[in-house]
Structure formats: structure tokens, C-alpha cells
Amino acid sequence: MIPGITATALTFVCLIISIVSYYIYYRKNAEEPLRLARYAFYISSGLIFFQAVLLLWGIHTHQFQWQYVFSYSSRDLSPFYLTTTFWGGQEGTFLLWLVLGSIYGLVLIRKKFDNEPLIMSFMILVMAFIVMILVKKNPFVYVWDVNPGRFPAGSVPLDGNGLNPLLQDPWMIIHPPVLFTGYSATMILFAFAMTALVTKNHENWIRQVFPYGVFVVLALGTGIILGGYWAYTTLGWGGYWGWDPVENSSFIPWLSSLAFMHGAIVQRRQGGLKRTNIFLALLTFILVLYGSFLTRSGVLSDFSVHSFSESVLTDYLTAFVVLFAALSLIVFLYGTQKINSTRVSEKFFTRETFMLFGILALLLSSVFTFFGTSAPLITGIFSDEPSNVSIEYYNRLNAPVAILIGLFIALSPVLSWKRENRSNILKYRYHMVAAVLIGIIGFILGLQDPIPLTIFILFVFAISVNGEIVLRLLRARSFDFGGYLSHVGIGFMLIGIITSSSYETNTRTTLPINSPKQVMNYQMKYLGFRTGADGKDEAVIQIAGAGSNTLEASPKFYWSEFNQAFMRNPSVHNLWVKDLYISPIQVIPADQGTNASKLMIKKSETVYFENYLLNFEGYEMNDHSNVANSIEVYALIQFRQDDGNAFMIKPGIRVTGQQQQLLPADLPGTGRAVNIQNIDIDNGTLTLAIDHESSNEKQPGEMLAVEITEKPLINILWLGTIVMIIGVSVSLINRSRFKPF
Amino acid sequence: MKAKYIIGGIIIVSFIVWAGISFNKTLTPYVTISEAKTSDTMVQVKGKRVDNGSFDMEQNVFVFNMVDEVGEQIQVVYDGAKPGNFEQATEIVCIGRYTDGKFHAKELLVKCPSKYMEESANL
């Protein structure tokens, strides 16, 4: 019996006991079953925490007999990255989902809601499904059970496969847990919305669920932003956002959770949108499930650079999504039949009308991003060869959405609830004039395309309006400024996105080693490779012309055993008004062909070369090189001059993974380099490349091809993300502590 | 009819129309190499690499040759870095457009035998 797997199975049993007891309590309203239901949930939470701790312990103590530990970690990982292994694979992320789910469950039980049996039953239903996934794909299963051909039973592998180096990044310790905190919190929205439908009480739930709605917005939003930092600084796509399915699958539910949060505010103030809000809460949860189906099942493996590969879980995940979508839809149609609907005010210039438009814009963006991401599935229905949309689709769609949202977040706060008060808008005419003036300055500075310019002006307007309200509320010592502050943050983000992506300039060039080259407005000098502090190879480039100091860029370019591929990480330099972003493309080795003589020589053979007599004595190996995991091979060659003077030189080659580095030797007294051109083991021959006698012509040495991008004002985007996160956090604290909704 | 519904309606309808146009326009169909050679829009082709490719230092592009199942060959010019696992690739997907006798790829997806597949092959 394996403790981990047993715990997984017991978790499932306890969840079932809990849900059945909640049902009995719901029917009979007796104390006994309620206590049993709660205790069963406590035990299942304890079991889930036990599995999480066990897995962490297993990873840190290298229990390579477990499939998960073997697949995603290795002995050379630091404790820091061993921890990230927890969410390096699918099983771990599902376990993380469960850990968070049980924390939410415990919080909900503590709150003692009247509808606890229903709310908890829906929470448990979702959790039980995830436990079933873990039963199917368990992290504690032994390697020899998965792969008996490779591992005889009972033999513990000495080392694991290791963690994908892309995940060995400081951002990865925080990005996935935060994102999963948001994903699993959508369970709460689902549970509350379903409860509202079953009890046909469509009003009270919105007050109870609101803080959790804000929490989902905060966690998903923060997770997405952290993912953006990671993509920007590590993945080296050249940007923070690439409309990749993996990114979209968190962006789509974030938009719908935003729509839900705003809808809840309208319902509280106005009484309207009862049906819509229930729908949005369910939709957000279903979109999270759909997203995890898209990225884990392998359906998009033909279309994404980094979706998870084909998985045994495809059918299971499909069933998961379809079942919950169908259940939600049926209960929704049934539960909203006799809804006592209240109309949102008919007047046009009211805050609720503009918020409705905002909700509409968010939903349109969410729905059509969804269609774009699902394009391969949709087109797959109509033809045998599914197709995808290009990134252009998302940019075309979201430009009008940005304009609408800019307009609505600028105007909504100006208007009053219920009463139509057009003259309020006029009070802010100076803000509009100021925004247009700033827009004109932007135009003069180069912001001349109509759509980016429109978005820029609207968001400057939105920032000034919302910013003024924030200041006013702060002066009045009110804590209600969170929402307005987050709109200021969104404004800065959009402006930063416009300036840094629409107006980035980039160039590709090759930098010759050790000789400065003028690129854009910088003088760049490539100094060769070195091994970085983290053991990965990096190129060193000296950059002058960026401010007063000389910068040193060190983009990484290294061989990864795990990925069986060369990996590239950009070097990013923040110059206040812009970022300088340097991505390595390719190392072009020194060309010995044109300026060097080639000489083929066999072992123990003696040949003449110019005025030398060469004798190839053999090879010398050095596997204790100071560069990790590499082997150095040196050829021992005796050079004898006419005058009888003899010396030994040792040109070498260093092999790291699939990467080869030449270690030239000097021909004494001449400054000419001797390199190994080729080693042919089958024929026992060695080919040397000996530089020609120094001419005035410069030797074409090693070169580094790089892509250099300038991203103007990207700091405004980073500032915006921080302001937005603070804003949402403030309203979360305000709504859950000081001023319950 | 109230202004609210008219404006809301206009936003929704014009957005759906715009999205439909964008969807059709940006859709890159999967085609064979011979179809790609006659097409003048963005397409997606799949094939095996013929060589290891080389980096063109004049133009700073990566160039390689690709062949599909029926043996049709095409030269691909990729405006970017050589994918890190190119040598291990079993299959390559290129998204781009065929012009001047070459396929100009905007995006390359390289598919490699993953560890999982290796393991399941052993089963």
C-alpha cells in the first residue's frame, strides 16, 4: 500500500460521506448529519494537506521511485526550485487546486452561511472530480508501475529527469500558485450561483459572494501579470503577452470575472441583472475548466508552443467540462424561470447604464478571445485539417474593446446612480481638454496612428477623472477608493501597452567578437561566452551609449538536457524611459575556412607545414573541466622548427551537451591560432585549422547574432499593474472588513 | 426604443460583424506544400526538415528546407532565431506566406518526441 495513493482514495471517500451527510441535513435539518458532514470535510482536507506535504517532502528528499518526483526533479536542483517542482507537472497542479479548494471550503464552513449544505455540496462536487483525476494520474505512483520495461520493480532511479529550465526562474515560485488561487476560487462563485438557483433566492447570494468575486479578480489578475513578467524576462518571446492559448485560458475567465464583479455592483445598487450575474458567475467557472481542458488535454498541441503535451486525461477532462457546463446550463434554465426581475433604470446618462456597457465590452472581449483560442476546435468540426487564427485576430478585436472600456471607465464615475445628471459630465470638460492636449504632445512625439492615439487620449482622460476621485476620497478619509484606483492602474497599463508595443523599434544584427559595433544608438561589443552564476552559458555584451554608465548585457544561450534543445533567455535593461531588450539568436563560430590552412593528420604521423614539422602524439581528455557537465578533448601536437627548436601545443574542444566550443592554442612567437577543425574517430584523423600568417586584414572571428528591441515607456505598464493590484486589494479589504457589501 | 438599447445593439452587432471578418481574415488554414506555393495568403504547412538549416548573416534570417509527406520540397525563410530544438525535430509547423519562391515563416512550431512519449513507447 502506498500512503500517498491511499490518502487520495480516502479523500474521495470522505468527500462522498460529506456530500451525502450534507444532503441528509438539507432534507431533515438534523444536527447529527451536519456535524458528520463537516467532520468528513475536515478529514478530507487533512488528507489533502497530508498529500501535499508528502509530495513536497518526496521532492525535497528525492524519492525518485515516485513517478512525479522522477519526472520533474533532480538532485542538482536548489531547494527553491525543488519547491517549484510541486507545480511543474499536471498532477501537482491538480493537488494544488485541491489544497486551495479545501482552504476555501474551511473558510466557508466557518462563515456558517444559512445555505451551507448546498454551498458546500457544490464545492465538494467539484473537488471530488479533481480527486478522481488524481486517482487516474497519481503523483505517488511508482516508476516501475508506470514503466516496467525501464525500471525493474523496487529499483529506485539514481536521479530524476530534472525540471524544465524555463520553470527554474524566480517568477515561477509565485506565478503558478497565485494563478491557481484564482482558478480554484472560481469554484466558490460556482457554488454560490448554483445555490442561488436551487433555492430560487436570487438576491442574498450576491452580497455574500461579492468579496469572493473581488478575490477571483485579484488573484487571476495578479497571476496573469506575474505570468507576463515571466514571459518578458525569461521566455524571451520579445514581449509580455503573445495571445498564446495558455495565456488566453487565464485571460478569458478573468474578463468574465470582471464582468461579474461589476454586474454584482449594479445588482446591489439597482436590483437588476439577477439572471445575468448568476450566468456570469457560472460562466467564469466553466471558462476556467475549459481553459484547463484546452491547455492540458493536448488538443492544441499542433498550435501552441507551450501547451502541455498529449495526455491520458483528454477524455476525462472533456467529460469534466461537458458535465459541469451541462449541469450549470440545466440548473440555470430551470432556476431562473420564475425570477422576480427588476429593470435596470431606463435612463441613459446614469452610472448603471454605462457600467452595463462596460460589462458588455468585457464580455465581448472574453467571448471572442474564446472563439479565437478555440479556432482549431471550431474549424476542426468543419474540415479534417483544423486551422488557427493568427495573433492579428486578437489585436484587431481588442482595439475597439479598449476604446469602449476607456470611454466607460472615464464616464461612469462622473455619472450618478439612478438619477440622470448630464451636467456632471460638463464638470469634467477640463479633464477632457487636458487629455486632448497630452494627446497632442504624444502626437508630436510620434504617437500618430489613429487607434493607438484614441486609446491613449481616452485613458489619459480616464486616469485624470478616476485619479481625482481617488484623491477626493482619500482626503475624506474614505476607504472606498479601491475601484477608482484600479481604473487608474488599468489606464496606465493600457498606455504602457500602447507605447511599448505599438512603438517598439527593433533590429537584428551580428556582433563580431571583441570589436565594437554601432547598433541603433548604442555601441555594442560582444566579448564572448561565460558560465553564469546559475550555471547556464551566457553571452557578454558591453553596451555604451545608454546613459552615463556602460551596461553589461548577458543574454543566456545554453543547452538544456531536459528539453534537448538550446534555450535562450533575453537580457532586459531598464533605462527609465524605455527598456532595452536583447535576445540572442545564434552564435556563428569563427570561420577557419577562409583565413586558415587546413591540415589533416593521423596519429603518430609526421607532416610538414610551412617551416614546421608536426607530430600528432594523441589525445588528452579532461572531464574535470570547470564548466559543469562538459568534456574537454585536447590534441597533443609537437611542432619542430627547422632550427631544431621544438614545442608542444594543445588545441582543444569543449563539448557541453550538443554545444561545442573551440579552445584554440597559440603558435608561439607568431600570434597565430591553431584550432581543431574536425575529429574523425573512424579514420583516426584529426583536421587542424592554422591561421594564416598575420595579415593586416582582420580575421573574421566568432560572431553573435542578436535581436535588439527598444520598448518605450514600458515602466508605465509595470506601474499600472502595481496600481491596479493595489486598487483591487483595497476594495477587497474594504468590502470584506470595513464596509460589507 | 430607448437610446440605451439602440447603442448596446449597435455595439453588439458591429462587434460581431467585425469579429467575423477578423476571424476569416486571420485564419491560417493547414495546407500541403504544393497548395502553399499557389496560395497568396497566410497558411500553415507541416513537414519534415531536410537539413539542419543555416543562419543567413546578410539578412539575419534562418533558412532551411522542408519536405512534406508526398515529397514536395520547399525552402523556408524564418525571420527569427533558429528554434532551440531544431536538430531533434520530428516535425515542423510553419505559419507564413509563400512569396518569391520561398516560404516566409512568421512562426515556427517544432515538435519533438517528448519524454512521455518515449516512456509510453516502452510500455
Side-chain angles (χ1 to χ4, degrees):
Chain A
M1 227 168 45
I2 305 167
I5 300 178
T6 315
T8 312
L10 281 177
T11 312
F12 187 76
V13 174
C14 288
L15 287 175
I16 297 299
I17 293 174
S18 181
I19 205 167
V20 170
S21 312
Y22 268 126
Y23 181 76
I24 297 169
Y25 169 68
Y26 180 63
R27 285 273 160 217
K28 295 193 178 152
N29 208 8
E31 267 312 297
E32 256 334 279
L34 177 65
R35 273 184 40 209
L36 179 61
R38 284 180 179 167
Y39 278 109
F41 188 81
Y42 296 153
I43 294 169
S44 64
S45 301
L47 286 165
I48 289 168
F49 297 144
F50 165 73
Q51 289 171 73
V53 172
L54 186 68
L55 184 59
L56 266 182
W57 170 83
I59 292 168
H60 280 272
T61 58
H62 306 300
Q63 305 296 314
F64 293 123
Q65 70 273 28
W66 293 346
Q67 175 64 21
Y68 191 83
V69 180
F70 171 75
S71 299
Y72 300 107
S73 78
S74 56
R75 290 187 188 276
D76 58 354
L77 289 175
S78 67
F80 193 70
Y81 292 132
L82 281 172
T83 309
T84 64
T85 300
F86 192 91
W87 41 83
Q90 294 192 18
E91 300 93 318
T93 57
F94 283 120
L95 187 54
L96 183 61
W97 200 320
L98 282 177
V99 168
L100 293 158
S102 36
I103 293 172
Y104 301 144
L106 296 174
V107 170
L108 292 176
I109 290 177
R110 261 182 74 92
K111 296 264 174 187
K112 297 201 165 62
F113 289 117
D114 289 342
N115 289 321
E116 182 188 320
L118 282 171
I119 295 170
M120 285 307 295
S121 296
F122 287 113
M123 292 286 288
I124 293 167
L125 187 66
V126 181
M127 288 174 66
F129 258 85
I130 301 171
V131 175
M132 275 162 72
I133 296 179
L134 279 185
V135 170
K136 178 111 179 94
K137 206 171 175 197
N138 197 284
F140 303 107
V141 77
Y142 288 138
V143 282
W144 48 83
D145 289 331
V146 178
N147 195 348
R150 186 164 161 202
F151 302 103
S155 77
V156 180
L158 292 175
D159 203 353
N161 279 337
L163 184 66
N164 190 337
L166 288 178
L167 305 182
Q168 296 179 34
D169 185 274
W171 288 113
M172 285 320 269
I173 195 116
I174 176 148
H175 160 61
V178 172
L179 200 58
F180 277 92
T181 302
Y183 282 155
S184 57
T186 60
M187 248 198 269
I188 308 173
L189 305 190
F190 169 77
F192 272 98
M194 292 296 271
T195 304
L197 288 170
V198 172
T199 58
K200 306 223 170 169
N201 182 341
H202 308 101
E203 273 137 49
N204 290 343
W205 78 287
I206 207 83
R207 218 184 59 242
Q208 297 166 343
V209 82
F210 188 72
Y212 302 102
V214 180
F215 182 73
V216 169
V217 167
L218 177 64
L220 279 182
T222 310
I224 291 169
I225 288 165
L226 292 172
Y229 289 143
W230 174 60
Y232 186 68
T233 55
T234 306
L235 281 186
W237 293 346
Y240 33 81
W241 194 258
W243 296 109
D244 189 90
V246 172
E247 297 172 317
N248 289 352
S249 68
S250 51
F251 185 60
I252 297 166
W254 184 63
L255 289 173
S256 76
S257 71
L258 274 174
F260 169 71
M261 183 178 76
H262 289 90
I265 296 171
V266 174
Q267 183 175 344
R268 268 309 276 167
R269 285 286 189 156
Q270 264 281 310
L273 296 188
K274 291 193 189 95
R275 248 188 231 106
T276 314
N277 284 333
I278 292 176
F279 182 77
L280 289 175
L282 295 175
L283 182 71
T284 304
F285 173 69
I286 299 299
L287 287 174
V288 164
L289 287 191
Y290 180 76
S292 71
F293 153 75
L294 268 190
T295 52
R296 285 162 215 252
S297 64
V299 285
L300 293 184
S301 61
D302 267 5
F303 299 96
S304 164
V305 207
H306 75 334
S307 278
F308 290 82
S309 53
E310 301 269 348
S311 153
V312 292
L313 296 173
T314 308
D315 293 341
Y316 195 88
L317 287 168
T318 313
F320 195 11
V321 180
V322 171
L323 269 176
F324 275 88
L327 177 72
S328 304
L329 191 65
I330 292 166
V331 177
F332 178 76
L333 292 176
Y334 177 76
T336 51
Q337 266 171 356
K338 285 189 188 137
I339 207 158
N340 181 14
S341 59
T342 319
R343 290 216 130 172
V344 177
S345 102
E346 295 285 332
K347 301 196 184 83
F348 185 76
F349 283 100
T350 55
R351 189 179 285 196
E352 52 269 32
T353 303
F354 276 66
M355 280 180 72
L356 277 186
F357 285 149
I359 292 167
L360 179 66
L362 288 169
L363 264 187
L364 286 172
S365 172
S366 174
V367 167
F368 287 99
T369 306
F370 170 88
F371 281 131
T373 314
S374 315
L377 295 183
I378 299 168
T379 54
I381 301 169
F382 303 109
S383 77
D384 296 338
E385 288 287 4
S387 321
N388 202 0
V389 291
S390 61
I391 288 172
E392 194 48 34
Y393 169 79
Y394 302 102
N395 293 334
R396 283 166 69 108
L397 273 190
N398 286 298
V401 171
I403 292 177
L404 290 176
I405 287 180
L407 196 63
F408 302 139
I409 67 175
L411 292 179
S412 310
V414 172
L415 299 163
S416 321
W417 293 101
K418 294 182 187 171
R419 277 177 302 112
E420 198 167 40
N421 200 347
R422 240 174 275 204
S423 58
N424 264 1
I425 298 181
L426 288 178
K427 281 188 202 157
Y428 287 88
R429 58 185 180 276
Y430 297 117
H431 296 72
M432 190 68 223
V433 172
V436 171
L437 285 177
I438 295 174
I440 291 170
I441 295 171
F443 185 85
I444 294 166
L445 291 175
L447 192 73
Q448 290 171 354
D449 300 299
I451 290 176
L453 184 63
T454 313
I455 297 175
F456 179 77
I457 292 175
L458 282 172
F459 279 96
V460 172
F461 181 43
I463 289 171
S464 64
V465 172
N466 286 279
E468 192 189 309
I469 296 173
V470 170
L471 292 178
R472 200 191 303 151
L473 288 168
L474 278 175
R475 243 179 265 134
R477 297 189 188 281
S478 161
F479 215 55
D480 293 342
F481 62 89
Y484 303 105
L485 186 64
S486 56
H487 287 166
V488 172
I490 292 278
F492 281 123
M493 283 174 69
L494 261 294
I495 290 172
I497 289 169
I498 292 285
T499 56
S500 65
S501 63
S502 305
Y503 294 95
E504 70 168 33
T505 43
N506 84 36
T507 183
R508 261 177 292 140
T509 187
T510 42
L511 301 174
I513 194 159
N514 291 330
S515 73
K517 182 170 177 179
Q518 191 74 20
V519 187
M520 291 160 119
N521 295 316
Y522 309 96
Q523 194 160 65
M524 301 199 172
K525 192 162 134 192
Y526 165 51
L527 299 175
F529 267 79
R530 69 170 176 221
T531 305
D534 53 2
K536 296 167 181 169
D537 291 339
E538 56 191 30
V540 186
I541 304 166
Q542 235 173 42
I543 302 167
S548 48
N549 297 326
T550 311
L551 279 178
E552 192 185 80
S554 49
K556 292 185 195 305
F557 189 80
Y558 59 95
W559 172 256
S560 154
E561 241 356 276
F562 183 90
N563 292 310
Q564 290 292 306
F566 283 104
M567 309 301 280
R568 302 177 176 88
N569 298 154
S571 182
V572 186
H573 301 271
N574 196 314
L575 307 176
W576 284 106
V577 289
K578 63 192 164 205
D579 266 14
L580 183 61
Y581 194 94
I582 298 162
S583 328
I585 299 178
Q586 189 93 36
V587 186
I588 302 142
D591 184 6
Q592 296 95 5
T594 47
N595 281 309
S597 310
K598 273 182 227 163
L599 190 67
M600 206 197 270
I601 187 166
K602 277 194 167 156
K603 201 170 172 182
S604 312
E605 194 184 47
T606 304
V607 294
Y608 283 101
F609 172 73
E610 293 175 7
N611 53 344
Y612 298 103
L613 194 62
L614 272 69
N615 185 20
F616 173 30
E617 299 188 345
Y619 291 109
E620 187 180 281
M621 301 273 271
N622 176 11
D623 50 6
H624 302 292
S625 148
N626 47 7
V627 180
N629 300 322
S630 63
I631 297 175
E632 289 166 9
V633 180
Y634 294 95
L636 306 179
I637 296 148
Q638 194 194 50
F639 276 67
R640 188 172 301 143
Q641 279 170 306
D642 294 344
D643 54 12
N645 232 343
F647 48 85
M648 190 70 115
I649 68 165
K650 297 200 289 184
I653 192 160
R654 180 188 294 146
V655 184
T656 315
Q658 303 233 333
Q659 208 171 357
Q660 296 188 347
Q661 193 190 344
L662 294 177
L663 306 167
D666 258 4
L667 201 51
T670 61
R672 298 162 71 182
V674 179
N675 266 302
I676 293 180
Q677 168 97 13
N678 187 34
I679 297 176
D680 186 340
I681 298 186
D682 295 336
N683 297 315
T685 58
L686 167 78
T687 312
L688 292 176
I690 304 170
D691 282 359
H692 288 161
E693 219 146 350
S694 53
S695 56
N696 291 331
E697 252 177 82
K698 201 130 182 63
Q699 309 283 350
E702 187 177 278
M703 296 214 246
L704 177 74
V706 286
E707 176 159 19
I708 293 152
T709 315
E710 279 188 330
K711 292 169 185 290
L713 298 182
I714 199 164
N715 278 349
I716 294 185
L717 169 58
W718 304 144
L719 171 76
T721 59
I722 294 165
V723 172
M724 189 198 72
I725 291 170
I726 294 174
V728 183
S729 309
V730 166
S731 58
L732 177 61
I733 296 165
N734 190 30
R735 287 309 183 187
S736 52
R737 286 266 170 271
F738 305 134
K739 225 183 201 178
F741 198 51
Chain B
M1 279 274 271
K2 294 283 177 188
K4 190 169 93 180
Y5 297 105
I6 298 172
I7 293 181
I10 291 172
I11 293 177
I12 295 175
V13 171
S14 48
F15 202 84
I16 290 173
V17 172
W18 177 241
I21 295 171
S22 303
F23 192 90
N24 271 322
K25 209 172 164 174
T26 59
L27 202 62
T28 50
Y30 246 119
V31 296
T32 62
I33 287 181
S34 49
E35 281 168 331
K37 284 178 176 170
T38 54
S39 156
D40 56 356
T41 53
M42 288 270 286
V43 292
Q44 199 157 346
V45 292
K46 199 153 76 169
K48 287 185 164 44
R49 68 195 169 80
V50 177
D51 48 36
N52 280 341
S54 60
F55 190 77
D56 179 343
M57 275 170 34
E58 300 286 303
Q59 266 135 45
N60 288 310
V61 288
F62 175 63
V63 187
F64 66 97
N65 287 291
M66 189 170 94
V67 64
D68 72 0
E69 287 161 347
V70 294
E72 183 84 20
Q73 197 166 331
I74 200 169
Q75 190 179 38
V76 182
V77 176
Y78 176 52
D79 196 22
K82 176 181 181 173
N85 43 1
F86 193 78
E87 264 91 17
Q88 284 72 38
T90 48
E91 197 171 56
I92 294 163
V93 178
C94 308
I95 302 165
R97 192 192 299 262
Y98 187 81
T99 41
D100 309 326
K102 286 169 189 154
F103 190 82
H104 294 267
K106 276 185 117 176
E107 228 178 299
L108 287 188
L109 301 180
V110 169
K111 299 224 232 137
C112 293
S114 75
K115 291 209 163 83
Y116 268 113
M117 283 154 94
E118 184 192 329
E119 276 166 19
S120 49
N122 288 341
L123 280 175

